Amino acid sequence: QDDAGSSCVFMDADIECPATLPYRPVDGSCNNPRYPWLGRANTPLYRLLRPAYADGRAAPRRGHRGRALPSAREVVARLMPQVNHEHLTTHLFVILGQLLSHDVARIDAPKNQATGPCCNTGRGGADDTCMPIPVPADDPFYQHLRVRCLPLTRTNSTTCHSAHAEQLISVTHFLDASFLYGSDGATSARLRSGEGGRLRARVVDVGRGDFGQFPPTDEASADLCTNSSTTCYFTGDERANQNPMLAALHTLFLREHNRVAGALADRNPHWEDERTFQEARRVVVAEWQIIVYRDWLRWLLGEDRVRRLGLVPRGPTARSQYFPDVDPRTANDVTTAGFRSLHSMVQGHFWLGARGRRSETLTEWFDNSAPALERPLGLQRVLEGLVHQQAQDLDRWMDDEITTKYEPVRTRAGRPWGTDLAAIDVQRGRDHGLPSYVEYRRHAGLPEAFDFDDLLDTISWQDVRDLRQVYDHVRDVDYYVGGLMERRAPGAFLFGPSFQVMLEDQFWRWRFADRFFYNFAGFAHSLTPEQIWALEGTSVGRLLCDNVKDFHYVPRDPFVKIGYRGNENVPCESLPKVNFDVWKEYKDGTEERQEEWDSPEEMDPWRRDDQSGWQDGPGWHGGHGWHGGHGWQDW
Ligand code: HEM
Ligand SMILES: [Ca+2]
């Protein structure tokens, strides 16, 4: 598992970065002026809290009293059964979160590991790649199937320049729509059509006069789907086929890219493929960032919180708001626990159509998305379902579809079964060395917990009672589990303090430490202020209206249910649009840029301005005891 570690290629390779870059590099390199590898694909995750490995190096954490921790499956079976409580966000809110998580993280297992069930091998030591989840004999679900363990392979990690294992991810850490464009040059090249700046797409006659574009199918993607009989999509991310809702969003962004490329080419017929592609990519990445930060984030973190953190972008901001001293990477603590907590919001049965008269079972469509979308009204019905079905609440209750039937859906004695995603989440936290819940509580500014009763300030007495029955000691409680039990933090919308704090920190990094974030004006790669303003016209509603046949009405806010705070269906014509006229080039070939950003000094990407443009972010952010991990890690 020490592949990259031995050579430390990700840090030591000389990455040549030109002084100015007109477009964001596809692999995420050359973003940070001093450390060009930061945020690049195939580099380690950032970490907010010091890891808790049993041997200080890589071995999974053990219980406080030296005993083994309860099995991750036991934790889930006893603490996270299915109870349905609906939330007022929509399923679109949830699945867009999945797409976002795929933009910023993808852990991998070692490539040439021995395949097999990864169980009963007698292995499982510190340096082993195998970390199966034991299933207790009295398990409420698996006992009837005589399943005694669930396979799990440890994540690829490195000990390069570090005393302990750091997990690697193979996608760019930035919100750069790498799920659409890929995270390396070769993939990116294969995704492009080579004409008109477009991405490759298949035009499919799905019936009823609908000739829509879908992602290409490819030999390379054929083995991505466990269900080998199916059509398997080739996109920028290997997980696109995982469920039809996710594949529908991939399709939507693919169509949007080609629509934007067309609009730009119309206005600039002299542009070649490369120019049109890169400009369209810059536009679509900006639209994606606007949708996430302006429209989606308020439901994740709470409207007041995002506003006070200065996270809601509006129009151009000066380049001085870029923070080159902040680590822009995805944090292990976030992607392995806090962000995964949205697994609890997934509906095991997803709607087709706006009224939910028909629904489909998630597990039946695992890795089998194309057939669900490429049928008459297929894509449209999945998307209508997404904007109208309510999500499950964020709580410790998980849908059985993902806790007992995830992935290879096999049938034994007529019963479909698979592995347990929530148990994997818990086990993965231990694999990655995440410290116990009490450490995260403290990091969030809550008092030290010495005993289970000390948790009562944020967790109900019933939940504390149940925790006590599963864990030996309060210091054993997994972050994922404790975090899901917490009551909402003040001003938060979904999370208790221990998740809220980490996610706020992360969304701050992904924005202010990404030099290419769409609304920094004044860099060589910046959009013009006029273009930045024009992009305010984008929205998910607009994406649906512009790219899906017969979408004539959309909820004004597709992330919350109709009726909440006056949310209602509105006709497409009433939504703003992006006006692409401001992308039209002057005859002399120069782009339309405002004078004030144009001085050569301003174009020096490594220059650091004062931070006078700053509103209320860093004061709150840096000044709080909450945010210790603001600067560099000691590598
Ligand atoms: C729709 C059903 C979903 C399924 C079946 C699913 C399945 C999975 C699986 C199998 C993994 C890898 C687990 C591992 O080996 O450690 C994973 C990871 C993850 N999931 Fe989901 N997921 C779903 C929805 C979501 C949603 C809605 C979010 C929202 C934020 C999300 C966020 C994540 C994150 C952040 C990771 C870690 C990614 C990484 O580090 O590689 N997932 N999910
Ligand atoms: Ca990315």
Side-chain angles (χ1 to χ4, degrees):
Q1 68 269 32
D2 228 298
D3 267 338
S6 46
S7 56
C8 289
V9 272
F10 64 92
M11 282 176 75
D12 297 344
D14 278 333
I15 303 174
E16 289 280 324
C17 299
T20 55
L21 274 164
Y23 306 107
R24 179 191 279 281
V26 67
D27 67 355
S29 59
C30 299
N31 192 298
N32 185 280
R34 252 177 298 158
Y35 303 95
W37 60 270
L38 274 181
R40 196 174 70 165
N42 301 308
T43 58
L45 291 159
Y46 178 69
R47 229 184 241 282
L48 279 140
L49 294 201
R50 214 175 285 283
Y53 291 114
D55 59 356
R57 221 183 67 74
R61 182 168 77 89
R62 296 183 62 80
H64 183 58
R65 298 187 173 120
R67 276 185 264 173
L69 291 169
S71 135
R73 168 59 195 168
E74 183 186 352
V75 169
V76 173
R78 294 180 57 186
L79 299 176
M80 305 176 139
Q82 178 168 339
V83 178
N84 292 325
H85 291 296
E86 294 211 313
H87 191 255
L88 47 82
T89 53
T90 59
H91 218 198
L92 177 69
F93 169 82
V94 177
I95 303 299
L96 194 112
Q98 186 179 24
L99 188 65
L100 171 57
S101 73
H102 291 181
D103 192 341
V104 294
R106 183 176 77 224
I107 52 168
D108 286 301
K111 281 261 150 50
N112 45 6
Q113 49 135 344
T115 49
C118 203
C119 286
N120 306 324
T121 54
R123 301 191 299 166
D127 290 321
D128 209 307
T129 56
C130 205
M131 199 175 157
I133 304 168
V135 176
D138 62 350
D139 188 277
F141 181 82
Y142 292 107
Q143 64 168 315
H144 307 295
L145 300 158
R146 303 219 174 84
V147 171
R148 294 303 310 279
C149 93
L150 304 172
L152 194 80
T153 308
R154 296 196 68 176
T155 303
N156 269 337
S157 62
T158 173
T159 48
C160 177
H161 298 258
S162 155
H164 52 257
E166 297 288 6
Q167 282 69 32
L168 300 156
I169 57 171
S170 54
V171 295
T172 68
H173 297 234
F174 303 103
L175 268 81
D176 56 358
S178 46
F179 59 82
L180 180 62
Y181 300 112
S183 288
D184 63 88
T187 304
S188 164
R190 285 187 51 196
L191 287 163
R192 291 172 58 174
S193 78
E195 273 174 87
R198 295 161 60 89
L199 289 165
R200 275 168 61 208
R202 284 155 49 244
V203 175
V204 180
D205 174 5
V206 292
R208 299 183 181 234
D210 183 359
F211 297 85
Q213 297 173 61
F214 290 92
T217 54
D218 207 276
E219 312 88 71
S221 65
D223 61 348
L224 294 179
C225 296
T226 47
N227 186 336
S228 56
S229 61
T230 199
T231 311
C232 199
Y233 291 145
F234 175 53
T235 72
D237 188 273
E238 291 182 1
R239 295 160 292 189
N241 297 282
Q242 191 216 56
N243 70 71
M245 301 170 281
L246 181 66
L249 295 185
H250 273 273
T251 305
L252 197 60
F253 276 93
L254 170 68
R255 292 182 180 188
E256 177 69 1
H257 174 93
N258 284 343
R259 188 185 77 86
V260 171
L264 297 181
D266 280 352
R267 286 160 182 83
N268 297 287
H270 59 290
W271 283 1
E272 284 169 5
D273 173 64
E274 172 68 11
R275 177 81 194 272
T276 315
F277 171 78
Q278 294 295 354
E279 294 283 339
R281 170 169 169 258
R282 183 161 60 177
V283 166
V284 173
V285 171
E287 292 182 338
W288 170 234
Q289 292 176 337
I290 291 171
I291 287 165
V292 169
Y293 275 85
R294 186 194 63 190
D295 301 340
W296 183 82
L297 202 55
R298 68 170 91 169
W299 302 122
L300 188 83
L301 297 178
E303 202 157 9
D304 258 23
R305 298 294 306 162
V306 290
R307 210 174 293 133
R308 281 174 53 191
L309 281 161
L311 284 175
V312 187
R314 196 144 266 259
T317 59
R319 46 176 287 156
S320 57
Q321 288 208 10
Y322 165 59
F323 279 64
D325 297 334
V326 175
D327 198 315
R329 287 177 294 162
T330 302
N332 207 331
D333 325 65
V334 170
T335 192
T336 310
F339 215 2
R340 288 188 188 217
S341 66
L342 266 74
H343 282 158
S344 148
M345 300 180 82
V346 172
Q347 292 277 15
H349 299 271
F350 60 94
W351 285 9
L352 297 181
R355 259 161 272 177
R357 285 208 219 97
R358 264 191 72 192
S359 63
E360 297 277 4
T361 309
L362 191 55
T363 41
E364 275 172 24
W365 293 93
F366 270 137
D367 268 356
N368 190 24
S369 293
L373 304 182
E374 296 179 23
R375 55 183 177 181
L377 300 174
L379 175 73
Q380 188 186 337
R381 293 274 193 263
V382 168
L383 291 166
E384 280 169 357
L386 276 177
V387 299
H388 288 290
Q389 182 178 15
Q390 287 173 245
Q392 283 290 322
D393 203 351
L394 187 104
D395 50 28
R396 65 158 151 139
W397 317 119
M398 297 275 170
D399 198 302
D400 287 341
E401 284 295 311
I402 58 171
T403 54
T404 54
K405 293 173 203 160
Y406 172 67
E407 202 151 31
V409 181
R410 280 161 279 178
T411 308
R412 203 185 281 176
R415 266 177 99 163
W417 70 283
T419 185
D420 176 345
L421 180 57
I424 290 176
D425 290 340
V426 171
Q427 186 83 336
R428 193 62 81 195
R430 298 174 185 179
D431 170 18
H432 289 201
L434 297 191
S436 114
Y437 165 65
V438 299
E439 302 293 336
Y440 288 94
R441 248 179 73 93
R442 187 176 40 204
H443 182 69
L446 294 165
E448 187 79 48
F450 300 100
D451 189 271
F452 282 105
D453 285 344
D454 294 331
L455 305 182
L456 289 167
D457 52 0
T458 49
I459 300 182
S460 76
W461 69 266
Q462 294 94 331
D463 288 1
V464 171
R465 176 197 61 198
D466 292 354
L467 278 176
R468 204 192 284 273
Q469 281 168 8
V470 174
Y471 290 96
D472 264 3
H473 193 279
V474 69
R475 300 194 64 87
D476 294 355
V477 176
D478 295 279
Y479 177 31
Y480 184 75
V481 179
L484 274 171
M485 287 183 168
E486 281 185 348
R487 280 189 285 269
R488 308 280 179 269
F493 193 68
L494 284 168
F495 302 112
S498 306
F499 282 162
Q500 180 78 16
V501 159
M502 302 302 258
L503 282 153
E504 286 183 359
D505 180 284
Q506 182 70 77
F507 278 93
W508 200 90
R509 284 168 200 282
W510 280 331
R511 175 169 174 199
F512 289 106
D514 174 3
R515 187 162 61 92
F516 289 86
F517 198 83
Y518 85 95
N519 76 336
F520 290 135
F523 290 111
H525 61 257
S526 298
L527 293 156
T528 68
E530 293 78 8
Q531 291 167 344
I532 292 168
W533 281 117
L535 282 163
E536 286 286 315
T538 192
S539 61
V540 169
R542 203 64 252 174
L543 255 54
L544 293 168
C545 291
D546 288 338
N547 298 300
V548 188
K549 191 168 179 287
D550 294 329
F551 238 99
H552 302 304
Y553 287 85
V554 289
R556 193 181 359 247
D557 188 334
F559 296 130
V560 290
K561 69 173 191 174
I562 299 290
Y564 180 66
R565 293 211 202 151
N567 192 25
E568 56 185 350
N569 271 314
V570 294
C572 284
E573 303 83 72
S574 71
L575 297 178
K577 293 183 175 179
V578 180
N579 177 356
F580 289 103
D581 290 343
V582 286
W583 271 263
K584 203 173 157 83
E585 247 179 5
Y586 286 144
K587 275 200 219 80
D588 63 4
T590 56
E591 231 178 291
E592 190 173 344
R593 283 186 188 274
Q594 271 200 342
E595 282 301 307
E596 55 186 286
W597 306 111
D598 240 346
S599 75
E601 191 193 23
E602 283 281 33
M603 287 307 208
D604 167 11
W606 313 144
R607 209 186 118 223
R608 185 83 191 281
D609 292 351
D610 70 303
Q611 276 143 39
S612 50
W614 185 259
Q615 298 284 304
D616 47 2
W620 185 89
H621 197 80
H624 236 267
W626 285 2
H627 296 273
H630 209 61
W632 298 103
Q633 270 183 303
D634 44 340
W635 277 91

